[in-house]
Amino acid sequence: MADFPLAINLQGDYGYKVIVVDDQNTIEEVINTCVDQIAGVFVAPFPEKTVLRARIHGADEPLDNKLKVLDANFIQMEALQVYVEQAQ
């Protein structure tokens, strides 16, 4: 278990914020940490039951929510985007 900094842009925010997570956290836990620290401060809170996903900056596909940070082979300060998943 180790602290791992990520640069995360939460949908609606003006820029990236450094969020420190544990390298054993899943992407879902990273998203929750990000929302806990940013929503209601820099962006409006999301409505209940909003589904958020994360992807590496510039990627088209979302990351698997069960993927652990350590297993994703991120570099420190990897840029991630957290966004609202659109209903299909």
Side-chain angles (χ1 to χ4, degrees), residues 33-58:
T33 299
C34 173
V35 170
D36 288 347
Q37 292 182 23
I38 297 173
V41 178
F42 296 103
V43 299
F46 293 99
E48 269 189 58
K49 299 187 182 188
T50 298
V51 177
L52 296 170
R53 299 296 305 260
R55 64 179 165 229
I56 296 172
H57 175 75

Side-chain angles (χ1 to χ4, degrees), residues 7-9 11 16 27 31 52-65 74 78-85:
I8 299 179
N9 177 255
Q11 183 171 319
Y16 285 81
I27 297 301
I31 292 169
L52 296 170
R53 299 296 305 260
R55 64 179 165 229
I56 296 172
H57 175 75
D60 293 326
E61 295 298 316
L63 295 163
D64 181 346
N65 278 349
F74 293 147
E78 185 83 52
L80 301 181
Q81 297 170 315
V82 174
Y83 62 95
V84 174
E85 183 175 64

Side-chain angles (χ1 to χ4, degrees), residues 61-81:
E61 295 298 316
L63 295 163
D64 181 346
N65 278 349
K66 301 301 178 199
L67 179 67
K68 289 187 178 186
V69 170
L70 183 66
D71 297 335
N73 294 319
F74 293 147
I75 59 170
Q76 289 194 16
M77 299 296 294
E78 185 83 52
L80 301 181
Q81 297 170 315

Side-chain angles (χ1 to χ4, degrees), residues 1-4 21-26 67-72:
M1 298 178 99
D3 288 341
F4 198 91
V21 297
D22 190 283
D23 66 358
Q24 293 298 312
N25 285 149
T26 63
L67 179 67
K68 289 187 178 186
V69 170
L70 183 66
D71 297 335

